[in-house]
Amino acid sequence: MSAFIGIDTSTTSTKAIVINEDGEILGVSSSEYTFETPFPLWSEQKPDLWWHATKESVQDSISKAGIQPSQVIGIGLTGQMHGLVILDEKGKVIRPSILWNDQRTQKQCEEIRRVIGKPEFIRITGNDALTGFTAPKILWVKEEEPENYARIKHVLLPKDYLRYKLTGEFAVDRAGGAGTVLFDLAQRDWSQDVIRALDLNLEWFPLTFEGTQVTGTITKKAAEEIGLIEGIPVFGGGGDQAAAAVGTGAVEEGIVSISLGTSGVVFAATNSPFIEPEGRLHAFCHAVPGKWHLMGVMLSAAGSLRWFRDTFKKDFSFDELVTGARDISPGSEGLLFMPYLTGERTPYPDPLARAGFIGITIRHTFEHFTRAVLEGVAFGLRDSFELMKNVGLKEITQVRVTGGGVKSSIWRQIIADILNVEIVTVSSEEGAAFGAALLAATGAGVFNSVEQACQSTIKITENVAPGPANTVYEKIYSEYRTLYPSLKGTFHRISDILT
Ligand code: XUL
């Protein structure tokens, strides 16, 4: 029996998952770490942590799987996107990685828009310049740490630093590459125009690969350190969102995945590069060769429910909390919740957006508030759907939901009713690491394509059809959409008053 390993270098841990040729999970292990916030808005991590955690989790996952290292014939990589890793001419890390959730680069984002022009930048890269992305981070190093900038010889992403440690090769998968916003999205490769316009050095950027291509093989040194065999191929893999979409089977146009974790991600696979002209949706390459995807990111999805529970009913389980909302009628008798507890990304890229309950009357009970939170988050997800339809994604045939939030059947029904589409749950729960392992297995020839790998290994476990509540939700959604535009000025002015 042959086995494949998927490795996910996330912000809080590195997870390794071992699967067999049928896609069955044999062993999973993760090793945790933290990130540093030395100054407000900063978020950094030392790349060494990832390598150390990879060694631990790979060894442990192999021993849990009960296999011999010689049975592992391919590795797929995934991980947090957008983080900047810079190396000098000897391949040494120059400074800690600046992560995806770092917010220090507002000035550099404005510079990029000014130098290239926002519409042109979006036309080429598919995206607006946002603080989370990689390109503005490089400009920040140039302006604030010129001595570090002068030493740069290689620019990598977190997962690709691990690739370098495993194989000695400098390479990036195209899903991750597009997240640097230095890519020509349609060409699926570095944009020489953007890199030149920003006065960066083209030579720093590694070769790019599709998710199923071999990017290098495990070196003797890495094999000894990690407990694997020298020469095992390491496949492209993908950024965590694209790999997670492979892990849930969102690999064909018309299939959308929603991940309802702290944040809420709406991910649509596309056969061509769709672009939202204002850059309100992210548009990146998919980890599926020759495909792309659109993505909407809500910052507080299940995070809103957690905040609500922790703040008002700490001793309640999520089940108890949500069950109370079952008997409240759709629309919560006019109580609406705006879910912008931590600002927002899609559809309003505004760190100063704020949450709110609107329409409270004396009749409203705690249970109404709970239901309003569930509905408000679903309306937020619907916003991403609407943007996707506006840019030309004609038909959404199926929505695959994953993440802690969808364990609640009431919330699943509310989402189906508000999106007015059938939603399904799937058998795979290991997300991005599983997707990376499937990409490796496909690259090794076990499956003919990523689509076939998903069809063979991921099963639908439950379907929820939209119900009659959709009629009232359609009307309330039209009102929900007016809330942020009406209140935006207030949020900004209050922030000015208090800072
Ligand atoms: C994607 C994104 C996050 C990070 C961290 O655009 O910012 O998903 O990849 O996981």
Side-chain angles (χ1 to χ4, degrees), residues 73-326:
I73 61 165
I75 294 180
L77 301 182
T78 180
Q80 48 174 310
M81 297 174 70
H82 318 303
L84 173 69
V85 182
I86 45 177
L87 306 184
D88 67 11
E89 61 186 349
K90 296 204 170 97
K92 290 248 162 355
V93 173
I94 297 175
R95 73 174 320 290
S97 173
I98 306 178
L99 304 186
W100 64 278
N101 52 358
D102 188 288
Q103 299 283 356
R104 78 184 74 169
T105 61
Q106 197 60 45
K107 176 168 163 259
Q108 288 73 23
C109 290
E110 277 153 27
E111 243 168 78
I112 292 175
R113 290 185 202 117
R114 188 168 33 81
V115 171
I116 301 182
K118 182 172 162 182
E120 180 65 357
F121 188 73
I122 294 176
R123 187 189 65 75
I124 300 173
T125 69
N127 298 278
D128 190 8
L130 301 185
T131 46
F133 297 159
T134 324
K137 298 179 181 5
I138 309 178
L139 298 186
W140 183 91
V141 176
K142 183 178 190 173
E143 286 161 31
E144 302 294 330
E145 298 179 347
E147 66 296 346
N148 285 337
Y149 187 79
R151 291 170 57 207
I152 299 180
K153 282 287 176 295
H154 304 278
V155 171
L156 294 176
L157 298 170
K159 134 188 64 52
D160 305 303
Y161 174 72
L162 198 66
R163 191 188 309 281
Y164 165 64
K165 293 292 283 181
L166 289 168
T167 65
E169 303 287 346
F170 298 107
V172 64
D173 66 282
R174 292 184 177 145
T180 63
V181 292
L182 292 168
F183 248 44
D184 182 322
L185 186 69
Q187 300 301 321
R188 305 176 75 80
D189 211 343
W190 302 111
S191 163
Q192 302 202 7
D193 290 345
V194 171
I195 289 175
R196 277 205 204 98
L198 299 180
D199 203 18
L200 305 174
N201 188 341
L202 199 57
E203 287 173 9
W204 297 340
F205 299 95
L207 286 177
T208 66
F209 292 85
E210 296 290 352
T212 52
Q213 283 181 306
V214 176
T215 57
T217 58
I218 303 258
T219 61
K220 186 161 182 291
K221 182 166 180 284
E224 278 162 9
E225 280 191 60
I226 205 167
L228 287 172
I229 308 291
E230 183 186 353
I232 299 170
V234 175
F235 294 87
D240 57 0
Q241 297 299 340
V246 172
T248 47
V251 293
E252 288 169 60
E253 194 163 298
I255 301 187
V256 169
S257 70
I258 294 181
S259 148
L260 203 56
T262 302
S263 61
V265 176
V266 181
F267 181 109
T270 62
N271 292 334
S272 52
F274 287 95
I275 292 176
E276 204 286 316
E278 296 288 320
R280 284 176 295 179
L281 291 170
H282 305 341
F284 299 139
C285 301
H286 204 320
V288 183
K291 291 195 177 179
W292 287 261
H293 73 87
L294 285 170
M295 190 163 81
V297 181
M298 258 182 92
L299 294 182
S300 295
S304 290
L305 191 68
R306 172 174 292 278
W307 162 81
F308 182 71
R309 198 270 313 256
D310 291 353
T311 310
F312 299 110
K313 273 283 197 245
K314 235 192 176 102
D315 48 337
F316 261 33
S317 69
F318 282 107
D319 260 2
E320 283 170 312
L321 186 71
V322 169
T323 306
R326 190 186 290 272

Side-chain angles (χ1 to χ4, degrees), residues 106 130 299 340-354 484 487-489 491-492 495:
Q106 197 60 45
L130 301 185
L299 294 182
Y340 315 128
L341 285 167
T342 44
E344 194 48 299
R345 216 150 120 176
T346 311
Y348 310 116
D350 181 0
L352 299 180
R354 291 293 172 258
Y484 170 82
L487 288 166
K488 178 179 171 186
F491 296 144
H492 285 239
S495 158

